[in-house]
Amino acid sequence: MQAVSRRRFLQVSAGAAGLAVAGGAATQAVPSRGPGARGADRVRKVPTFCDICFWKCGAIAYVKNDRLWKIEGNPEDPLSRGRLCPRGTGGVGAHFDTQRLTAPLMRRQVRGAEEWVAVTWDEALTHVAAKMRGIASKYGPEAMALFSHGIGGNFLKHTLKAYGTPNLAAPSYAQCRGPRDVGFQLTFGEEVGSPERTDIRNARCLTLLGSHLGENMHNTQAQEFAEAVGSGASIIVVDPRLSVAASKAKYYLPIKPGTDTALLLAWMNVLLAEDLYDREYVAAHGFGFDAFAAELAPFTPEWAYPITSIPPESIRETAREMARHRPASLVHPGRHVTWYGNDAQRSRAVALLNALLGTWGRKGGFYQPASMSVPEYPYPPYPHPERGRADNPGRKYPFAETAITTGLRDATLTGLPYPVKGWMVYATNLLQALPGEAETLRAIQQLDLLVVLDVIPSEIAGWADVVLPESVYLERYDDLNVELFREPFVALRQPVVEAPADQKPNWWIARELALRLGLQAYYPWSHVEDYLDTRLKGAGFSLAELKTKGLVRGKQPPVFYEEGVEPVFPTPSGKIEFYSLQLKEAGFDPVPRYQPTPEPPAGAFRLLYGRAPMHSFSRTQTNPLLGELMSENEVWLNAAMARRLGLERGAWVRLRNQDGRQSNRVRVRPTERIRGDCVYLVHGFGHTARGLHPRFRKGASDAGLITRYVRDPLMGGTGMSVNFVTLEPEG
Ligand SMILES: Nc1nc2c(c(=O)[nH]1)N[C@H]1C(S)=C(S)[C@@H](COP(=O)(O)OP(=O)(O)OC[C@H]3O[C@@H](n4cnc5c(=O)[nH]c(N)nc54)[C@H](O)[C@@H]3O)O[C@H]1N2
Ligand SMILES: Nc1nc2c(c(=O)[nH]1)N[C@H]1C(S)=C(S)[C@@H](COP(=O)(O)OP(=O)(O)OC[C@H]3O[C@@H](n4cnc5c(=O)[nH]c(N)nc54)[C@H](O)[C@@H]3O)O[C@H]1N2
Ligand code: SF4
Ligand SMILES: [Mo]
């Protein structure tokens, strides 16, 4: 942690004024059935959509005798198909979480110590608005940045665009799926999107690189994966760790971490050498195929073997298996792909392998998604910022079309290309989500204003000047879900129960802030219900209808070429770009090449990380239901290595990384299910925010150990699997 700091963590013990825990309030506002209650239970069903992660599954919440009871999937919803994942089911815990923030907090100097004081919403928002006006007049409105994650950020984005800043970023780009979307965009002219346009349920062969479906619980995908397995599809899993998905696989390839591009090139080499690719599809839609094929000639399975540790015969056999089932042979594009820094090119190799198999636009491959046409609210045009975004000066990362979180952090640190002096942070725990925690903390020291909107006292909230407590998703409206999917739909999130204390929804906060900034013109509506009804009426529906049904589905359009979808590739050539002139002109490899990543020194392990089915990132550990299911993480260590180190199951260790950074203590899980050159942690544990006392320091934080990262030269994503750790026995 930073030695000198003007922003220390939430001091819960000192001046407890600001941190009255919500438990008591919760019982008042949401009374349980009193001892005197008689007669039949009163049960109310409210359709809404989930927010424990960003998949937005349609759900039905049940309220029994005015108390939130349970949540189930909405059978009408195409995403959940009536079933939620374990996290979604545990979502009721978000409402009952005893560690919730209950009132706006402001940092005050009291006798030299820094303390939090609970204030009214009016005080908090008036203060934020005054600070924002100050920043705008001194540095220009571009000096405010918004970091947000999820649909709840929409109204704040609106307010900040109206205020005049272009600097709006989310970790779901440069720390998650950005490289994939750039790799696919460069190849097919379109992104994979979220929800991914993968037709997993119809795949006859499914290849997963990482993509640990079953631990990664994105509901639709996990369900379709189970269906594909159930119907006998061939599953090929490439992972240094025998994941849950790998345990269902016909072929499991325990690859050396960081070498997937070599495997992808070798697979493509086999498809070309053995003439197994989809010639017709390539001839009809491909651009630059001959140059591409020539580039691939040297990359034989024998070439890839010493790099990947996958024997040539396994590479050939799996390539043939993929080809046998094409075009219903999906090579999953992945989602969290910010691994080694050359990730957009690896994702492009995934895209090209799919192109050879003819899966784009085909059943069992990638469908062409659709969405309901719901007009935006007719707002006045936003002011045009004088300066462009600060995150990517000189377009150093030429293919980044979306703002780079870590680029905004750089601008804050350096004042270049211009100073960034205010951060508004909505539903993203930047200290767990961005690599290089020390850089984030240093950047925070440069700020005139840090406002955090959260539901619990998260790590990032601990550094804020103003903390604004939001109501949880079960207590509020949000914007409409009109995401692109296999079939079009529009879904509503609506309040199921009241917030237990003085928490407010994001739309209210965004609007009240705008009013205090003199931006009334951008809020012609006074309640979000007016906003929602206006948008829905524009599409021929109404809020009343959505409140009852939760969602409306549109007619199923054709989604595959074989159903009549016109193949369109919005690339410069109008075709699938096997050879990319765009990349060549920008000085990059027009056909992906393998670039080695440094290996762990002797005695050290590469730190890998991923998901557990019952947790979302660092956001569910205080949820009483989900926290019970898994209260801390373990470090996965190869069993032979554990023996060598004399570590038994359950032994406590601390991980120390190459820069001397040490983790909290964490238990060892010796297992045959991981290679000897890496260890594995579930992300999201090892909280250091004192406000989260029962979860404080439980387990180890992968984020804390990610002090090193490699930027993707195409788009600025941060490859984070480049840290090495040693294990130090504790006690
Ligand atoms: N339960 C749950 N589900 C979630 C989330 C959650 O928080 N909780 N978050 C959602 C989000 S936003 C995302 S982005 C996704 C993330 O989930 P994925 O996109 O599936 O993430 P990955 O990083 O691909 O998956 C981690 C796996 O990759 C393996 N791996 C590590 N390094 C390598 C390598 O070099 N090569 C190969 N082939 N494999 C490697 C690890 O061993 C691990 O099994 O999950 C989503 N689903
Ligand atoms: N080390 C490491 N870094 C990672 C990853 C990793 O696995 N390891 N994963 C990467 C990926 S794939 C992604 S997508 C990002 C995700 O990164 P984030 O989106 O930042 O995810 P969390 O860290 O869970 O932060 C969510 C924050 O939102 C708060 N929150 C929850 N519900 C609400 C709400 O209703 N309203 C408000 N206002 N706040 C709420 C939570 O309390 C928490 O503080 O992280 C990336 N960074
Ligand atoms: S995948 Fe699970 S947590 Fe995410 S929205 Fe769906 S039910 Fe909720
Ligand atoms: Mo993600």
Side-chain angles (χ1 to χ4, degrees), residues 387-721:
R387 293 169 293 184
R389 277 180 2 222
D391 62 291
N392 188 13
R395 289 191 64 79
K396 180 170 180 207
Y397 303 106
F399 297 99
E401 296 306 335
T402 304
I404 304 166
T405 43
T406 28
L408 286 180
R409 183 177 72 183
D410 293 342
T412 311
L413 269 169
T414 61
L416 295 170
Y418 54 80
V420 172
K421 287 293 181 183
W423 286 7
M424 185 159 300
V425 179
Y426 176 84
T428 174
N429 190 357
L430 295 181
L431 291 171
Q432 287 262 6
L434 303 187
E437 184 193 81
E439 285 165 78
T440 308
L441 294 179
R442 277 205 310 277
I444 287 172
Q445 304 303 315
Q446 305 300 316
L447 296 175
D448 288 353
L449 177 67
L450 174 56
V451 185
V452 172
L453 291 87
D454 209 308
V455 292
I456 51 169
S458 59
E459 279 74 19
I460 188 68
W463 292 85
D465 301 311
V466 182
V467 181
L468 303 177
E470 206 194 355
S471 42
V472 302
Y473 71 105
L474 292 163
E475 302 156 358
R476 66 175 196 241
Y477 284 107
D478 267 323
D479 208 345
L480 299 167
N481 182 14
V482 280
E483 215 77 83
L484 288 158
F485 189 58
R486 195 189 264 118
E487 52 188 293
F489 67 94
V490 50
L492 175 74
R493 176 175 291 149
Q494 61 177 322
V496 178
V497 284
E498 276 181 28
D502 199 12
Q503 299 97 348
K504 298 281 187 195
N506 61 68
W507 66 263
W508 184 91
I509 301 169
R511 182 175 177 279
E512 290 290 323
L513 181 60
L515 300 185
R516 285 168 178 76
L517 287 166
L519 301 171
Q520 294 81 337
Y522 290 90
Y523 281 90
W525 49 269
S526 56
H527 194 284
V528 73
E529 291 186 349
D530 306 333
Y531 164 91
L532 294 167
D533 199 42
T534 303
R535 285 195 67 193
L536 286 165
K537 291 243 163 80
F541 312 115
S542 72
L543 179 61
E545 180 182 6
L546 269 283
K547 280 174 85 163
T548 330
K549 296 183 182 163
L551 73 144
V552 188
R553 293 166 82 144
K555 216 173 121 239
Q556 174 69 63
V559 292
F560 299 115
Y561 299 164
E562 45 269 59
E563 293 175 349
V565 171
E566 182 73 22
V568 175
F569 305 99
T571 55
S573 64
K575 300 214 161 201
I576 301 174
E577 303 215 325
F578 283 95
Y579 189 93
S580 171
L581 293 173
Q582 287 192 80
L583 282 172
K584 191 175 181 191
E585 276 154 26
F588 300 107
D589 294 328
V591 176
R593 283 177 174 258
Y594 167 67
Q595 282 169 9
T597 183
E599 305 214 3
F605 303 90
R606 186 182 296 281
L607 175 65
L608 303 181
Y609 54 87
R611 311 282 177 240
M614 62 295 268
H615 280 291
S616 286
F617 314 106
S618 71
R619 59 161 57 203
T620 42
Q621 286 75 20
T622 60
N623 177 310
L625 303 172
L626 300 174
E628 274 297 287
L629 291 176
M630 179 182 180
S631 61
E632 57 188 276
N633 58 358
E634 299 172 303
V635 55
W636 291 47
L637 173 67
N638 174 273
M641 290 294 165
R643 273 193 301 278
R644 196 180 296 174
L645 294 172
L647 292 169
E648 306 218 323
R649 185 174 183 124
W652 291 107
V653 293
R654 286 177 194 270
L655 309 184
R656 184 185 290 278
N657 80 357
Q658 69 284 334
D659 298 321
R661 181 67 195 257
Q662 208 189 34
S663 74
N664 295 341
R665 63 176 201 163
V666 58
R667 287 185 191 278
V668 175
R669 170 177 178 169
T671 171
E672 307 291 344
R673 288 176 52 189
I674 191 165
R675 287 172 58 102
D677 51 7
C678 49
V679 294
Y680 179 83
L681 283 176
V682 168
H683 171 60
F685 288 86
H687 285 279
T688 51
R690 287 175 195 282
L692 302 179
H693 40 95
R695 296 285 163 227
F696 182 60
R697 296 201 185 286
K698 277 218 155 192
S701 163
D702 59 327
L705 294 165
I706 300 178
T707 51
R708 186 189 286 172
Y709 56 95
V710 182
R711 299 190 204 222
D712 191 306
L714 271 58
M715 48 64 70
T718 54
M720 304 195 282
S721 303

Side-chain angles (χ1 to χ4, degrees), residues 333-370:
R335 185 175 178 103
H336 172 256
V337 294
T338 44
W339 290 350
Y340 301 96
N342 55 353
D343 303 301
Q345 286 281 26
R346 185 186 67 251
S347 295
R348 188 164 135 71
V350 174
L352 290 168
L353 176 59
N354 275 294
L356 287 179
L357 294 166
T359 63
W360 190 257
R362 311 284 283 282
K363 199 167 174 187
F366 294 85
Y367 57 80
Q368 186 66 43

